């Protein structure tokens, strides 16, 4: 073979490159294409008198294609031997082919084959002679003399049929390294990879994978493994350094002694070795946090890259060891080797760490942490005091805290700083707050001034791995404004570590005593407090305002001062759900009464804005979620006299309230053998109700089970479709038969029983029918809109109307009498009158749709009028009119207007048929009953009403109704006598949707009227829905409701347990 032998100085040629690959084989030659065949000669044309045309000549054959040749074989790779003496093996790092020889000894590629020549195309046959037509005889008869035929074509030339091949690739060459003086040879060069190391900071951590922010970290005992195929050079050193990647948490520093493998280190193939000396880096400080007022313990990762270099002969430059020869081991942190790095730390622990990327992952944190925030009772009554719990855990390996100026052996100082966060959001006066620090429960404590720049509060000694509860107390003054807020900030300080030269860090001494060390903030926590009153019963209170942490001061003051006090003149009570954590009727308050007891005979106004139990929680809590069984009187557990106004309720909250009757199974539902018997039972119930003339006051939620037999079918999917149709037919029956009640029909489509009768097989399953809420027992009204918490909306006429609608009829009539007597705001009187008219419209609607007979006592059928007739306040008002002229004028004006509106309802156009018919009808019976009971009012009020003004009011009212119906139908030709149409117009005029009466504000509806099965026409009074669900759909609904009830219970218990933070002994309350 060829011997290459030249000598170079490594200073002149620091890298040697060569290759010894085989040459590529030549490509095969291609054969020539065959020539095309010639065309045949054309035949002679036909000639007179009778000579036929001649045939064309045959075409010539195409020539054969030439043969191609195979590709030539590639040359073999070379056989390379690198010879070196043992003292010079370090030079192999400069010979690239020794390090990256994978493609340098390959054989040449085989040549590509040539191509066979393509055979020539066949020649075409010659054209036949043309035919000839002649005329013969006197009659000129046509005679055709035939022409010749076309000649036959020649044959195509032949292409050679055998396949041509590539040349074979050359064989791979060989490589070896010979160490001449050691008389040894090796198949490859040495190489090293990282195994593990020891980290040691000035502030050791309990977890060996952690380092502290801002610390100087030393790296010692770097353990490497020889992954090459020969020993590493034992006469030279391998040096290590930290790669400067400009990572903010890895800032290399100059060490006192480099980290290196000393000369004389023996490390053969597969063996390990450990470095001497050290590397150092500054771990830097954490990056920015999302919320700089409240953040979890800071934890970040840094990726440490260590580089390894093969040195040549060493010379000393000052204190630095240098070499003119320096080559990097490029596989030192190679991730694609899938290696597991074991990091063993100076404190003696070893834990495996798999590197998925290049480098070593280092976890950075501080040795002191607060993981669970500040714990306290956030809702405080004026004059109350809460404990504040703030846990600190020492995750380092040394004691922290308990610092003393006069003790040089004190542990590292640890302290807190507490202060009042000043912001426009927080309006609680700082002079209303008293804050004190208590290291132990029995300590009197030290008062802390939150208003100025507070000093640091030293934390007692905390041993490694231990936790200390920093106890503080916060109280509010007796004059603290309700629903004012404040935020308390707690900063965690730790004594600063020494900072290396060249690193610029701003440090402050937060104490006036200059002898104390500089401190650094490592964590900040925030907690908001709100001044909320505890519940106190008041004599004569008719309204309870339900608030929460989400309630703002201006919202609260608008409700209490402007709406309830100045406008409505109603005594009220405050109930905070964020203070008590529940609206369960059985929960007990400080006064020993249940919530059900204190809410009796009152209107409960619920501000439904969501809030968080703890400020940093992800889950928001709706006050309505804290009603375990909703607010409808049939299942709520509250007294029937309790009424609810849900302000700002959204679609999800409304849907939950309407579905809550589905939660939980009812004991022993009656089972019907077939649909016919079920329908008979429902019809009987409806007939009994019609005879009674009213719905019973205590109507329970009922459930029925119906056995259904289905005809045989080939597939279960067909059975399910048939079962669904059966369920829908039952639903149609319920809609038509009982428009008063809400129903759900569940078809059990998961399991079918097979029943055999003779030769027929039938499938059996069940329908579960649940009778839900009743429209006549509605106990809640919803105000919906996007801005229900804004003062302008709260003070609007529409909100006053919503309150009047939500009131019990007795309370509303009482409010009307008081407003008239004391000449209060016109909007209150209008709202009460309109709500009374609205109630009468709904009572008429029930009788018309359910075809109930009128009760003998009409005041039980039309309670809206019966309440007016029996009201003590109204009778007193009429009596006082006899001696009080100004009052008589006011009462006369308002009662005349109200009577005119009630007479419009009683004599509604859609209750009057166009033609008089024999017999009676439900319309006629309803109309006559309403006229009769309204006439009783006319008689009772005759001393004050102005009969001549009633017709004028009706004319104006008719005009408003017609304008609405024309706009609603889009036509000026409206059939006002159509079923329910005139009542629809009356309902609009007396509702919050009437912009001319109440402005463009929030709308309100009774909760049961939001249970729409289908889109209803504007201002029609819908019947409760009848919905059909599969068993799978019903299970999903029930699971969601059960989850909500369980969350309600857990939230209530969580709030109850937080009452332990009150410094005074907490009240007793049974677990929810």
């Amino acid at each position: 073979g060829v011997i290459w032998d030249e000598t170079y100085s490594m200073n002149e040629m620091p890298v040697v490159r060569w290759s010894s690959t085989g040459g590529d084989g030549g490509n095969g030659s291609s054969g020539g294409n065959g020539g095309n065949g010639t065309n045949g000669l054309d035949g002679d044309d036909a000639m007179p008198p009778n000579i036929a045309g001649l045939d064309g000549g045959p075409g010539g054959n195409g020539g054969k294609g030439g043969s191609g040749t195979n590709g030539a074989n590639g040359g073999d790779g070379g056989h390379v031997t690198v010879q070196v003496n043992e003292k010079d093996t370090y030079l192999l790092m400069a010979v690239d082919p020794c390090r990256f020889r994978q493609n340098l000894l390959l054989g040449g590629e085989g040549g590509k084959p040539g191509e066979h020549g393509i055979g020539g195309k066949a020649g075409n046959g010659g054209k036949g002679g043309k035919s000839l037509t002649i005329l013969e005889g006197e009659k000129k008869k046509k005679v055709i003399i035939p022409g010749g035929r076309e000649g036959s074509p020649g044959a195509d030339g032949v292409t050679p049929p055998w396949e041509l091949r590539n040349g074979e690739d050359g064989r791979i060459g060989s490589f070896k390294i010979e160490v001449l003086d050691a008389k040894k040879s090796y198949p490859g060069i040495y190489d090293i990879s990282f195994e593990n190391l020891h980290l040691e900071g000035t502030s050791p951590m309990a977890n060996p994978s952690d380092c502290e922010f801002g610390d100087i970290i030393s790296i010692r005992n770097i353990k490497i493994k020889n992954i090459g195929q020969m020993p590493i050079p034992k006469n030279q050193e391998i040096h290590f350094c930290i790669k400067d990647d400009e990572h903010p948490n890895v800032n290399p520093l100059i060490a006192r002694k480099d980290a290196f493998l000393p000369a004389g280190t023996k490390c053969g193939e597969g063996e390990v070795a450990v470095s001497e000396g050290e590397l150092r880096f500054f771990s830097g400080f954490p990056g920015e946090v999302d919320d700089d007022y409240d953040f979890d313990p800071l934890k970040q990762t840094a990726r440490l890259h260590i580089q390894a270099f093969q040195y040549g002969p060493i010379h000393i430059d000052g204190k630095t060891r240098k070499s003119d020869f320096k080559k990097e081991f490029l596989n030192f942190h190679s991730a694609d080797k899938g290696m597991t790095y074991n990091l063993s730390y100076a404190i003696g622990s070893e834990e495996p760490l798999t590197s998925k990327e290049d480098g070593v992952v280092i976890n950075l944190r501080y040795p002191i942490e607060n993981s669970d925030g500040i714990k306290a009772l956030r809702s405080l009554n004026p004059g109350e005091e809460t404990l504040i719990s703030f846990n600190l855990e020492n995750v380092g390996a040394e004691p922290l805290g308990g610092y003393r100026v006069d003790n040089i052996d004190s542990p590292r100082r640890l302290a807190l700083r507490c202060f009042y966060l000043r912001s426009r959001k927080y309006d609680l006066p700082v002079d209303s707050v008293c804050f004190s620090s208590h290291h132990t429960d029995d300590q009197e404590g030290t008062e802390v001034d939150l208003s100025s720049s507070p000093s640091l509060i030293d934390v007692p000694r905390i041993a490694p791995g231990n936790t200390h509860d920093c106890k503080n107390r916060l109280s509010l003054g007796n004059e603290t404004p309700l629903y004012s807020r404040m935020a308390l900030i707690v900063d965690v300080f730790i004594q600063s570590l020494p900072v290396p030269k060249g690193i610029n860090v701003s440090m402050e001494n937060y104490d006036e005593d200059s002898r104390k060390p500089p401190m650094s903030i490592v964590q900040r926590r925030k907690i908001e407090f709100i001044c909320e009153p505890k519940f106190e019963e008041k004599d004569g209170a008719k309204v309870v305002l339900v608030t929460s942490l989400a309630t703002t001061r201006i919202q609260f003051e608008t409700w209490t001062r402007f709406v309830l006090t100045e406008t409505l003149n109603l005594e009220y009570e405050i109930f905070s759900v964020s203070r008590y954590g529940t609206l369960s009727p059985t929960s007990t308050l400080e006064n020993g009464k249940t919530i059900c007891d204190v809410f009796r005979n009152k209107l409960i106004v619920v501000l439904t804005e969501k809030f968080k139990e703890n400020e940093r929680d992800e889950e928001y809590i709706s006050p309505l979620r804290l009603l375990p069984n909703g607010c409808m009187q049939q299942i709520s557990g509250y007294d029937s006299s309790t009424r609810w106004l849900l302000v700002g309720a959204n679609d999800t909250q409304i849907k939950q309230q309407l579905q809550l009757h589905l939660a939980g199974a009812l004991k022993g539902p009656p089972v019907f053998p077939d649909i016919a018997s079920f329908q008979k039972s429902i019809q009987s119930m409806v007939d009994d109700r019609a005879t009674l003339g009213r719905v019973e006051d205590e109507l329970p939620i009922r459930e029925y089970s119906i056995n259904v037999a289905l005809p045989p079918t080939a597939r279960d999917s067909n059975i399910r479709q048939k079962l669904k149709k059966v369920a829908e037919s039952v639903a149609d029956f319920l809609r038509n038969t009982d428009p008063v009640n809400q129903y759900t029909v569940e078809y059990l489509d998961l399991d079918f029983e097979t029943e055999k009768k003779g030769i027929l097989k039938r499938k059996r399953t069940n329908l579960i029918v649940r009778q839900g809420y009743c429209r006549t027992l509605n106990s809640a009204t919803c105000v919906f809109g996007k801005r229900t918490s804004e003062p302008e909306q709260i003070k609007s006429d529409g909100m006053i109307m919503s309150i009047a609608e939500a009131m019990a009829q007795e309370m509303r009539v009482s409010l009307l009498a008081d407003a008239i007597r004391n000449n209060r705001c016109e909007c209150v009187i209008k709202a009460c009158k309109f709500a009374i008219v609205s109630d009468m419209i709904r009572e008429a609607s029930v009788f018309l749709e359910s075809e109930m007979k009128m009760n003998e006592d009409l005041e039980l059928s039309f309670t809206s009028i019966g309440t007016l007739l029996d009201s003590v306040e109204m009778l007193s008002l009429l009596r006082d009119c006899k001696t009080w002229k100004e009052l008589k004028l006011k009462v006369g004006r308002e009662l005349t207007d109200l009577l005119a509106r009630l007479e419009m309802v009683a004599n509604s156009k859609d209750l009057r048929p166009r033609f008089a018919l024999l017999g009676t009808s439900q319309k006629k019976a309803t109309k006559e009953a309403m006229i009769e009971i309204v006439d009783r009012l006319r008689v009772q009020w005759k001393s004050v009403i102005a009969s001549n003004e009633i017709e004028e009011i009706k004319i104006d009212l008719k005009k408003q109704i017609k304008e609405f119906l024309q706009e609603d139908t889009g036509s000026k030709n409206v059939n006002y006598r159509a079923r329910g149409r005139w009542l629809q117009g009356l309902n609009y005029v007396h509702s919050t949707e009437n912009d001319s009466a109440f402005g463009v504000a929030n709308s309100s509806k009774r909760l049961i009227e939001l249970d729409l099965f289908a889109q209803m026409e504007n201002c029609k009074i819908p019947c409760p829905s009848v919905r059909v669900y599969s068993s799978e759909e019903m299970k999903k609904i029930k699971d969601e409701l059960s989850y909500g009830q369980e969350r309600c219970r857990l939230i209530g218990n969580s709030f109850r347990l937080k009452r332990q933070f009150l410094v005074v002994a907490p009240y007793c309350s049974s677990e929810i």
Side-chain angles (χ1 to χ4, degrees), residues 330-348:
L330 299 179
N331 291 325
F332 193 60
H333 274 305
S334 179
D336 58 11
K337 297 198 299 289
M339 296 183 60
T340 297
Y341 301 147
N342 294 309
L343 283 82
S344 61
Y345 292 78
I347 55 178

Side-chain angles (χ1 to χ4, degrees), residues 844-1022:
S845 177
V846 169
F847 279 99
L848 291 170
E849 292 172 12
S850 64
E851 298 187 355
M852 282 195 296
K853 295 179 181 179
M854 290 296 159
N855 197 287
E856 291 182 2
D857 184 354
L858 290 180
E859 292 185 19
L860 295 177
S861 296
F862 296 96
T863 56
S864 56
I865 309 301
T867 306
L868 279 171
L869 289 168
D870 298 337
S871 169
V872 174
E873 291 89 344
M874 291 299 293
L875 292 173
S876 175
L877 193 65
L878 292 170
R879 184 174 59 251
D880 292 344
C881 288
K882 296 177 182 179
T883 57
W884 190 352
K885 185 177 180 181
E886 291 181 359
L887 178 62
K888 182 176 181 180
L889 292 174
K890 177 72 172 176
V891 172
R893 184 172 64 251
E894 300 302 342
L895 295 190
T896 297
D897 180 77
L898 176 56
L899 186 63
R901 296 173 184 277
L902 294 174
E903 286 186 353
M904 280 285 289
V905 176
N907 201 26
S908 178
K909 285 182 179 290
D910 45 12
L911 300 181
R912 292 179 284 171
R914 286 186 181 273
F915 308 102
L917 300 176
L918 295 175
T920 60
S921 67
Q922 188 69 16
K923 285 184 179 182
K924 184 178 179 182
T926 304
K927 174 188 170 184
E928 289 176 349
M930 289 195 293
I931 290 175
E932 179 182 341
I933 196 168
V934 172
D935 281 345
R936 295 182 193 176
L937 273 182
R938 180 185 276 267
V939 172
Q940 190 180 85
W941 296 352
K942 67 179 180 180
S943 62
V944 296
I945 60 173
S947 299
N948 59 325
E949 295 179 6
I950 289 180
E951 288 306 317
E952 294 179 9
I953 296 171
K954 289 182 179 179
I955 290 171
D956 181 64
L957 197 53
K958 289 176 183 177
K959 181 180 177 182
Q960 295 179 46
I961 296 170
K962 288 180 178 180
E963 287 177 354
F964 162 71
L965 292 176
Q966 288 171 1
E967 182 179 350
D968 187 55
T969 59
S971 171
K972 290 192 175 183
N973 298 317
V974 181
N975 179 11
Y976 300 117
R977 299 176 189 271
R979 180 185 175 94
R981 181 160 292 169
W982 194 256
L983 284 176
Q984 176 190 358
L986 278 164
N987 188 41
Y988 166 79
V989 170
H990 297 93
S991 73
T992 53
E993 295 181 42
N994 184 355
D995 296 347
S996 62
F998 299 105
V1000 183
N1002 300 295
S1003 296
S1004 60
K1005 283 188 180 297
R1006 291 159 176 80
L1007 179 59
I1008 193 65
E1009 293 175 9
L1010 294 171
D1011 185 33
L1012 300 179
F1013 176 74
Q1015 187 65 38
M1016 299 297 296
E1017 292 183 48
N1018 187 21
C1019 285
K1020 275 196 173 180
I1021 303 168

Side-chain angles (χ1 to χ4, degrees), residues 510-635:
Y510 292 88
D511 293 282
E512 296 179 359
D513 189 345
S514 60
R515 295 175 300 167
K516 294 182 178 180
M519 306 287 284
S520 300
I521 298 178
V522 298
Q523 196 175 356
R524 172 169 283 177
R525 288 297 198 186
K526 180 180 80 169
I527 185 172
E528 287 188 0
F529 292 96
I530 181 170
C531 182
E532 287 194 290
K534 62 182 180 181
F535 180 81
E536 293 180 352
E537 281 192 286
K538 297 179 182 178
D539 291 338
K542 295 184 178 180
V543 178
V544 179
L545 183 64
V546 177
T547 61
S548 70
L549 289 170
T551 305
T552 64
R553 182 175 174 181
I554 189 171
Q555 183 184 10
F556 173 77
E557 291 179 350
T558 303
W559 270 104
T560 55
R561 182 176 61 82
F562 182 86
V563 176
L564 297 177
T565 303
E566 295 180 5
T567 304
L568 296 173
N569 190 36
L570 293 174
E571 190 64 66
Y572 63 88
E573 299 160 345
I574 306 299
F575 184 93
S576 166
V577 289
S578 48
R579 179 180 175 88
Y580 296 101
T582 182
L583 283 170
S584 173
T586 58
S587 292
T588 307
L589 302 176
E590 294 100 327
N591 58 11
K593 294 183 179 181
T594 64
I595 299 178
C596 177
D597 292 335
V598 299
F599 280 11
R600 186 173 280 111
N601 293 315
K602 293 173 185 174
L603 171 64
I604 316 302
V605 179
V606 183
L607 308 184
T608 62
E609 289 84 12
K610 295 180 179 180
F611 65 96
K612 292 182 179 181
E613 179 181 359
N614 299 300
E615 194 178 2
R616 303 187 77 251
D617 289 349
E618 293 185 2
E619 181 182 13
Y620 281 89
I621 302 169
S622 164
L624 297 181
R625 172 64 69 85
L626 302 179
L627 277 163
N629 297 308
C631 56
M632 294 293 269
Q633 72 178 63
Q634 290 171 264
I635 65 165

Side-chain angles (χ1 to χ4, degrees), residues 225-473:
K225 182 177 182 179
N226 185 349
I227 59 172
Q229 295 173 298
M230 66 179 290
I232 63 174
K234 67 178 182 179
N235 296 308
Q236 281 77 32
E237 298 176 356
I238 294 177
H239 280 243
F240 304 95
C241 71
I242 299 173
K243 185 176 182 180
D244 190 356
D245 294 329
E246 298 184 355
H247 193 288
N249 295 111
V250 179
N251 300 281
L253 302 173
I254 298 175
R256 293 183 292 273
K257 184 179 180 183
D258 292 343
F260 64 99
L261 287 178
T265 300
K266 295 182 179 180
C267 185
E269 179 182 354
E271 295 179 344
V272 297
V274 180
S275 70
E276 297 181 1
E278 70 173 7
L279 301 175
R280 296 196 308 159
F281 69 92
F282 178 63
S283 62
F285 296 100
E288 296 183 358
V289 294
D290 294 335
D291 181 1
D292 57 358
Y293 283 119
D294 192 0
F295 51 89
D296 287 327
L298 296 172
K299 296 178 184 179
Q300 296 177 4
T301 58
R303 199 166 290 278
L304 177 68
H305 293 85
I306 296 178
Q307 294 173 288
F309 294 90
Q310 177 65 60
Y311 273 27
I314 297 293
H315 62 271
I316 307 299
D317 183 2
K319 295 183 179 181
T320 306
R321 302 166 66 83
K322 292 186 176 180
S323 173
D324 294 331
F325 183 89
K326 181 180 178 182
K327 298 295 178 183
E328 183 178 2
F329 288 93
L330 299 179
N331 291 325
F332 193 60
H333 274 305
S334 179
D336 58 11
K337 297 198 299 289
M339 296 183 60
T340 297
Y341 301 147
N342 294 309
L343 283 82
S344 61
Y345 292 78
I347 55 178
S349 174
E350 293 191 5
E351 293 188 358
L353 177 67
T354 300
S355 175
K356 295 182 180 179
E357 299 179 20
D358 289 351
V360 179
V361 175
I362 306 249
N363 298 317
L364 296 168
R365 66 196 301 186
Y366 284 109
I368 194 72
E369 293 180 349
N370 168 262
S371 300
D372 51 3
I374 305 172
K375 295 180 179 179
L377 185 64
R378 295 175 59 201
S379 173
L380 292 174
N381 186 68
E384 279 187 336
E385 185 175 29
T386 179
L387 294 174
I388 297 177
S389 175
F390 189 76
N391 289 324
L392 289 175
E393 181 184 5
N394 183 352
V395 297
E398 295 180 345
L400 298 172
Y403 174 81
R404 292 177 56 187
V405 176
D406 55 354
N407 185 355
I408 60 174
D409 294 327
S410 287
R412 193 172 170 192
R413 189 183 181 197
L414 186 64
L416 301 179
R417 180 178 66 175
C418 306
F419 63 94
Y420 180 100
L421 178 61
R422 296 187 180 276
S423 166
R424 293 178 61 185
K425 177 182 177 181
Y426 304 115
D427 53 357
L428 193 152
V430 68
D431 54 7
S432 297
V433 182
C434 181
F435 183 84
S436 56
S437 173
H438 301 254
H439 290 315
T440 59
D441 292 333
D442 56 354
Q443 186 182 9
E444 290 185 3
T446 303
E447 188 169 336
V448 178
D449 183 5
L450 300 178
S451 60
S452 58
S453 299
S455 58
L456 299 185
I457 304 168
D458 275 292
V459 176
R461 177 189 176 102
I462 307 175
N466 285 9
T467 298
H468 174 71
D469 185 4
C470 303
K471 292 188 179 299
N472 303 283
R473 293 187 181 187

Side-chain angles (χ1 to χ4, degrees), residues 16-86:
V16 177
R17 297 186 179 90
W18 47 259
S19 65
S20 182
T21 57
D24 293 340
N27 295 332
S29 59
S30 298
N33 295 332
N36 296 331
T38 58
N39 294 330
L41 297 176
D42 295 340
D44 293 338
D45 296 338
M47 296 177 64
N50 194 20
I51 300 173
L54 299 180
D55 295 338
N61 295 331
K64 294 181 180 179
S67 299
T69 60
N70 296 324
N73 295 334
D76 293 339
H79 300 281
V80 178
T81 300
V82 177
Q83 296 177 332
V84 65
N85 289 319
E86 190 168 29

Side-chain angles (χ1 to χ4, degrees), residues 675 679 720-736 745-747 767 769 1013 1026-1030 1033:
I675 293 174
Q679 292 176 339
R720 291 187 177 92
Q721 288 299 320
K722 289 184 177 181
L723 180 60
K724 184 177 180 181
K725 288 182 179 180
V726 171
E728 289 172 345
S729 69
V730 172
D732 289 337
F733 164 79
L734 292 169
R735 289 189 194 102
N736 296 325
V745 181
E746 176 189 358
Y747 56 97
L767 298 180
V769 178
F1013 176 74
V1026 179
R1027 287 186 167 87
V1028 176
Y1029 298 106
S1030 67
E1033 293 168 335

